Amino acid sequence: MASIFCCFRGCASFLDLGFATPAVPIKKQPTISLDQQHIGQEVVLVKDGSRICGTGGALGNTAIMQDKAYFEVRLQQSGIWGIGLGSEKADLNTVPMGNDTDSWVMCSDGYLRHNKEEMHHITQLPQEGDTIGVSYNHIELNFYLNGQKLDCPFTNVRGQVYPAVYVDDGAVLDVVFDNFVHDPPPGFDKIMLEQSLLET
């Protein structure tokens, strides 16, 4: 009798007897990436919005709303590039960014630019393969090179801002919003979507 039941159980997997539970669609959680709707005209985003190439800038798909946020950028290929923050009004078609009142960026030439001003200059320039960390707490925007703080903060960031990057002259950047190479500074965490903030 047991062998008959085992045989029936094996056959039942091939037959639809109406005992199967309906499949429940899994709701895909939104992820943070570069935003296809907020890119320069000659920008190409690949790898699900995590890699930027071409010419121009791109913003992240969510504003930084939490108190202490962190993200990283891996320099995959050298060229002209910049990393920082920008508002929705930032000029994403002009390179370098940082020449308007709506973007704050560290540029590949070592200058930190905002509103056509060179605010700071770093001497240790990032190279291919390096990771640049970005932390923002609504008071200071700081940069890190391979986990080491560069001590050249912007203190004049205002308004609702998004992660911002730009490329030109063959540069390729990978923007990382999770699973970081280096630990964020104490108290800082990955950028959260607004709904995630409501749930914490």
Side-chain angles (χ1 to χ4, degrees):
M1 177 102 158
S3 62
I4 294 173
F5 180 70
C6 289
C7 180
F8 177 72
R9 186 174 56 186
C11 293
S13 65
F14 295 108
L15 301 173
D16 182 10
L17 299 177
F19 299 118
T21 57
V24 177
I26 298 174
K27 183 178 178 185
K28 185 177 178 185
Q29 293 294 323
T31 58
I32 299 175
S33 63
L34 296 175
D35 189 351
Q36 286 282 358
Q37 304 304 312
H38 291 97
I39 61 174
Q41 293 174 349
E42 296 181 28
V43 167
V44 177
L45 298 181
V46 294
K47 293 181 67 175
D48 294 325
S50 67
R51 177 171 285 178
I52 181 173
C53 47
T55 298
L59 298 179
N61 63 354
T62 190
I64 299 176
M65 306 300 285
Q66 74 220 56
D67 292 338
K68 295 181 176 183
Y70 178 82
F71 67 97
E72 289 181 341
V73 178
R74 294 187 191 129
L75 180 54
Q76 295 295 345
Q77 187 170 307
S78 295
I80 297 171
W81 53 264
I83 299 163
L85 300 177
S87 78
E88 285 186 324
K89 296 178 186 175
D91 184 357
L92 302 175
N93 290 305
T94 302
V95 173
M97 289 177 72
N99 286 325
D100 58 23
T101 59
D102 297 298
S103 58
W104 299 258
V105 292
M106 179 177 77
C107 303
S108 54
D109 61 5
Y111 284 100
L112 277 72
R113 292 187 173 93
H114 168 67
N115 199 22
K116 297 183 183 176
E117 290 185 44
E118 295 171 344
M119 312 295 281
H120 299 283
H121 186 261
I122 60 170
T123 56
Q124 186 180 1
L125 298 180
Q127 303 298 314
E128 272 186 28
D130 284 345
T131 299
I132 299 111
V134 181
S135 69
Y136 178 58
N137 65 2
H138 297 274
I139 297 170
E140 284 188 353
L141 167 60
N142 280 289
F143 298 93
Y144 304 78
L145 180 57
N146 297 320
Q148 300 299 310
K149 190 174 182 180
L150 294 176
D151 289 320
C152 54
F154 281 110
T155 57
N156 61 346
V157 179
R158 302 286 182 265
Q160 183 170 294
V161 292
Y162 299 75
V165 293
Y166 74 82
V167 292
D168 194 13
D169 197 29
V172 177
L173 302 176
D174 283 354
V175 184
V176 181
F177 294 107
D178 203 354
N179 300 319
F180 303 121
V181 172
H182 301 282
D183 290 332
F188 286 80
D189 202 357
K190 65 182 180 180
I191 299 171
M192 293 195 268
L193 295 165
E194 283 188 74
Q195 184 63 33
S196 300
L197 288 171
L198 295 174
E199 294 170 357
T200 58

